[in-house]
Amino acid sequence: MKPLMHLKATTTAAGSSQVLKTTNGTVVTGIDIKLLELLAERMNFRYTMVLPTDNGRYGMLYGNGSWSGVSGMLQRGEADISTLYSPVIEERLPILDFSIPLLHPRKDFCHRHSHSSSKVHSSAAALST
């Protein structure tokens, strides 16, 4: 079946995305890119990766209302979608539509396993809920 549309996707080397320069060009990898591949397959679209050239990464807001980085590319129509985690901040709301969160980061403390009652074990037990 012929793809319904062709999108321009963007990201930057941050979080779970990696941008690697190789002798054959640029390779973009990571869990976010894998999700984009799955969405493209399921929703029948193709995409081309376009990367920010201004090193703005997520994007910085300038005094004139324009943005750099991934946010700027989306604002200017240079990209249609981004796989980059971008915190929902008030300044970005006029230019970006956000999906529901796809990943909830979780942080855990680890300690060596011990069968005896140690200070480390008791402090970890105090943190458990």
Side-chain angles (χ1 to χ4, degrees):
M1 180 175 7
K2 185 177 178 180
L4 297 175
M5 66 176 71
H6 189 96
L7 299 176
K8 294 175 283 183
T10 187
T11 193
T12 189
S16 62
S17 294
Q18 294 181 332
V19 178
L20 309 168
K21 302 286 185 188
T22 69
T23 55
N24 295 328
T26 302
V27 177
V28 182
T29 64
I31 189 79
D32 299 339
I33 304 306
K34 191 64 172 170
L35 177 60
L36 180 62
E37 291 170 0
L38 292 170
L39 285 172
E41 182 181 318
R42 284 290 181 126
M43 298 176 73
N44 193 28
F45 67 86
R46 293 193 185 271
Y47 66 92
T48 302
M49 290 301 295
V50 290
L51 302 173
T53 58
D54 61 7
N55 294 322
R57 292 190 58 157
Y58 300 100
M60 296 180 300
L61 177 60
Y62 296 121
N64 65 2
S66 67
W67 285 81
S68 66
V70 169
S71 297
M73 292 183 73
L74 292 163
Q75 180 189 39
R76 293 185 298 272
E78 296 169 9
D80 303 303
I81 189 171
S82 172
T83 63
L84 183 65
Y85 164 75
S86 178
V88 179
I89 60 171
E90 186 176 350
E91 291 83 7
R92 286 191 181 107
L93 290 175
I95 64 161
L96 301 179
D97 289 325
F98 292 88
S99 71
I100 59 170
L102 301 174
L103 175 68
H104 296 282
R106 178 178 168 190
K107 300 202 184 301
D108 296 314
F109 288 98
C110 297
H111 61 89
R112 82 180 149 76
H113 185 355
S114 172
H115 295 289
S116 65
S117 176
S118 69
K119 289 181 183 178
V120 171
H121 180 67
S122 5
S123 64
L127 294 173
S128 66
T129 56

